[in-house]
């Protein structure tokens, strides 16, 4: 039984590169072994900034999903879906917008940053301002507990937590909450009820987070709780109201820094990428023409790996012994740069071999990909509808 639910999304920006692989996908592939995972294509989020390029979005969506599958994201382990195919996200976004203070959105640092960075676009739109709230709806609708994201997305997770808290505060209050919660504890049975009380006391009096986690796990195992009691028992653990939406936390993982061919961050806009399923010859050529330490004008000039982008690749791809050989050979002019690049070329090609293999299958039969996504969307919708039902009930919209 899983106690954590992981959710993450990626905007469809076209074919993915090694930066995405080492920064995000490798992580997803690992997480899917341990947790219940939901991964989705954030196509509405792409429209917030690329509303003027509707013609490319479809291709980008399918290319990205094939890249995920090629990288080893496994539809038998993780649920893969497309945001716009689960319209419940939009409904929750709308409902949450009722309680979202404008100032909270304007304060999210990415709002001004991105507007400045993409100054050629008009991003003073309603949709773009609401970007973090849409992301919040993505997360809250699955009651995800952990969201693997990069550093830059942490403010969005914080914002999501605040929205969840505000929602629970506004709608989790009910007359006679304490009595109802106590009744619910009794319904757990005497043994589990006693354990629940002990854990709750330990958390509330000593701030014992392990006790809180244990109590949550206990509740998660209960099969016969009514929805109302479940929300009460979760809310009673931490405070004075029902917990209808759960607060997620960011899962920051130590992603290896994958620089681009020129040593800057790998990014399509810098034109310094290696694609995830690029053909071998192209990759070889790109690495062979990578810049190196400018001090090595002639083969006999010694160099310094710290001033060379190739060294960054060795840090990602090479073992201790190879790195030793590089440092030694570079600083003494004992090896040439092409020689130095050879193990990197081989490692990148070897890494991509199984990816190309897997991708071929999906490229040859696109219906495979469509079916994976159709199944994922269906599964996601079921879960999304459950949350939405609770939200609508809490907001007084359960009259039909
Ligand atoms: N904003 C995220 C990014 O640009 C993409 C995203 C949208 C997302 N919704 C999400 C990530 C929900 C995690 C959870 O990378
Ligand atoms: Fe870079 Fe290797 Fe050349 Fe040194 S020998 S400058 S590390 S490519």
């Amino acid at each position: 039984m899983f106690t954590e639910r992981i959710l993450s999304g990626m905007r469809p920006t076209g074919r993915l590169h090694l930066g995405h692989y080492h920064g995000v996908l490798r992580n997803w592939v690992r997480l899917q072994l341990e947790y219940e995972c939901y991964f989705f294509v954030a196509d509405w989020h792409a429209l917030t900034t690329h509303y003027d390029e509707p013609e490319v979005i479809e291709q980008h969506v399918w290319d990205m999903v094939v890249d995920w599958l090629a990288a080893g994201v496994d539809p038998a382990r993780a649920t893969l879906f497309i945001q716009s195919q689960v319209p419940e996200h939009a409904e929750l976004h709308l409902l949450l917008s009722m309680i979202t203070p404008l100032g909270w959105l304007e304060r999210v640092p990415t709002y001004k940053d991105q507007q400045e960075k993409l100054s050629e676009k008009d991003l003073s739109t309603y949709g773009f301002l609401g970007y973090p709230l849409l992301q919040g709806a993505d997360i809250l609708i699955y009651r995800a507990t952990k969201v693997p994201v990069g550093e830059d997305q942490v403010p969005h997770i914080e914002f999501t937590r605040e929205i969840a808290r505000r929602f629970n505060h506004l709608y989790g209050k009910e007359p006679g909450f304490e009595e109802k919660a106590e009744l619910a504890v009794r319904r757990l049975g005497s043994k589990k009820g006693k354990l629940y009380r002990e854990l709750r006391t330990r958390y509330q009096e000593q701030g014992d987070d392990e006790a809180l986690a244990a109590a949550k796990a206990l509740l998660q195992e209960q099969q016969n709780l009514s929805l109302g009691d479940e929300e009460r028992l979760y809310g009673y653990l931490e405070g004075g109201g029902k917990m209808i939406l759960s607060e997620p936390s960011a899962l920051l993982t130590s992603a290896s820094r994958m620089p681009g061919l020129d040593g800057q961050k790998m990014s399509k806009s810098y034109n310094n990428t290696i694609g995830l399923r690029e053909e071998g010859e192209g990759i070889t050529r790109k690495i062979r023409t990578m810049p190196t330490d400018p001090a090595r004008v002639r083969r006999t000039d010694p160099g310094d790996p710290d001033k060379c982008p190739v060294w960054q690749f060795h840090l990602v791809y090479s073992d201790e012994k190879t790195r030793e050989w590089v440092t030694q050979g570079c600083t003494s002019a004992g090896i040439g740069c092409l020689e130095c690049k050879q193990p990197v070329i081989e490692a990148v090609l070897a890494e991509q071999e199984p990816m190309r293999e897997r991708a071929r299958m999906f490229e040859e039969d696109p219906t495979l990909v469509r079916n994976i996504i159709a199944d994922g969307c269906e599964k996601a919708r079921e879960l999304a509808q459950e949350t939405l039902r609770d939200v609508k009930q809490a907001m007084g919209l359960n009259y039909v």
Side-chain angles (χ1 to χ4, degrees):
M1 181 66 193
F2 295 112
T3 54
E4 301 270 14
R5 184 175 296 141
I6 301 256
L7 170 111
S8 200
M10 221 188 262
R11 277 171 300 151
T13 49
R15 296 244 173 163
L16 302 183
H17 52 63
L18 288 184
H20 298 109
Y21 180 66
H22 286 276
V24 184
L25 286 175
R26 230 167 47 136
N27 207 7
W28 285 13
V29 170
R30 246 193 324 252
L31 288 168
Q32 70 185 359
L33 302 176
E34 276 179 68
Y35 300 105
E36 180 187 8
C37 287
Y38 286 77
F39 299 128
F40 74 98
V41 182
D43 52 348
W44 281 334
H45 277 105
L47 277 182
T48 63
T49 51
H50 291 71
Y51 52 83
D52 54 352
E53 298 168 46
E55 64 285 355
V56 296
I57 194 158
E58 181 177 356
Q59 190 60 43
H60 284 178
V61 168
W62 297 116
D63 279 347
M64 189 166 82
V65 175
V66 172
D67 280 334
W68 290 359
L69 296 165
V73 176
D74 178 357
R77 295 183 183 277
T79 303
L80 310 182
F81 65 98
I82 298 174
Q83 186 184 37
S84 65
Q85 298 301 305
V86 186
E88 285 78 6
H89 291 225
E91 192 170 349
L92 182 60
H93 176 231
L94 174 92
L95 293 174
L96 294 176
S97 77
M98 307 302 169
I99 64 156
T100 303
L102 267 185
W104 289 15
L105 286 168
E106 286 160 347
R107 265 204 317 271
V108 175
T110 48
Y111 180 56
K112 289 241 157 56
D113 288 357
Q114 289 293 99
Q115 274 188 337
E116 276 162 28
K117 217 167 129 200
L118 303 172
S119 57
E120 74 285 359
K121 289 228 164 89
D122 180 5
L123 291 183
S124 39
T125 58
Y126 183 48
F128 186 66
L129 178 65
Y131 187 114
L133 185 63
L134 182 57
Q135 183 164 352
D138 296 337
I139 298 168
L140 297 173
I141 204 154
Y142 299 104
R143 295 186 161 117
T145 52
K146 290 260 183 331
V147 186
V149 284
E151 200 73 64
D152 61 316
Q153 295 289 310
V154 171
H156 294 171
I157 310 301
E158 269 309 308
F159 172 84
T160 303
R161 294 169 62 87
E162 280 166 23
I163 293 293
R165 222 173 292 149
R166 181 165 164 82
F167 186 93
N168 292 333
H169 178 72
L170 280 167
Y171 302 110
K173 292 219 170 89
E174 56 179 347
F177 174 75
E178 299 261 322
E179 293 75 22
K180 286 184 183 158
E182 278 298 329
L183 269 175
V185 179
R186 252 171 272 157
R187 282 189 206 110
L188 287 174
S190 62
K191 236 170 99 188
K192 285 181 180 150
K194 184 158 171 261
L195 180 58
Y196 175 92
R197 282 208 176 81
E198 278 168 15
L199 293 167
R200 175 171 180 265
T201 310
R202 258 171 57 201
Y203 173 66
Q204 296 203 340
E205 290 178 4
Q206 298 151 37
D208 182 342
D209 287 330
E210 271 174 33
L212 178 64
K216 284 186 177 170
L218 173 80
L219 293 179
Q220 202 143 24
E221 283 167 18
Q222 303 312 306
Q223 312 258 304
N224 46 4
L225 284 175
S226 74
L227 179 69
D229 276 355
E230 189 180 330
E231 288 170 351
R232 284 181 198 106
L233 289 170
Y234 276 105
Y236 196 43
L237 270 178
E238 294 183 68
K242 289 201 280 190
M243 198 183 77
I244 300 158
L245 295 176
S246 40
E247 289 178 38
S249 50
L251 187 65
L252 284 172
T253 33
S254 52
S256 29
R257 209 184 85 86
M258 183 72 230
L261 291 162
D262 56 0
Q264 299 187 78
K265 182 178 161 76
M266 189 178 279
S267 160
K268 209 166 60 174
S269 50
Y270 296 148
N271 206 7
N272 63 358
T273 63
I274 294 179
L276 253 202
R277 39 194 172 102
E278 206 170 305
E279 38 90 32
E281 266 172 52
I283 293 178
T284 306
R285 184 168 24 84
K286 279 183 175 176
I287 299 178
R288 287 175 75 96
T289 53
M290 265 177 87
T292 60
D293 178 0
R296 296 206 70 182
V297 183
R298 283 174 297 264
R299 166 72 175 75
T300 48
D301 296 328
D304 176 358
D306 282 332
K307 296 188 179 134
C308 176
V310 179
W311 174 243
Q312 299 298 320
F313 275 62
H314 277 293
L315 291 179
V316 175
Y317 286 101
S318 298
D319 58 16
E320 199 48 50
K321 204 168 131 247
T322 311
R323 289 187 203 168
E324 193 95 8
W325 169 79
V326 172
T327 317
Q328 170 61 27
C330 180
T331 52
S332 65
I335 58 170
C337 290
L338 279 179
E339 225 176 310
C340 176
K341 288 169 171 177
Q342 196 52 37
V344 170
I345 293 173
E346 280 160 24
V348 173
L349 292 179
E351 182 178 68
Q352 298 213 346
E353 188 54 39
M355 295 194 208
R356 262 193 300 270
E357 194 63 38
R358 278 190 291 258
R360 196 170 311 131
M361 187 171 71
F362 296 112
E363 284 161 352
E364 277 166 14
D365 186 1
T367 57
L368 280 178
V369 185
R370 311 284 150 139
N371 289 340
I372 288 168
I373 291 294
D375 287 349
C377 289
E378 199 179 308
K379 195 160 161 230
R381 282 196 81 174
E382 274 171 32
L383 190 54
Q385 279 163 0
E386 262 179 46
T387 310
L388 196 56
R389 191 191 57 213
D390 302 348
V391 166
K392 283 162 73 172
Q393 187 172 41
M395 293 181 87
L397 296 173
N398 56 337
Y399 37 74
V400 278

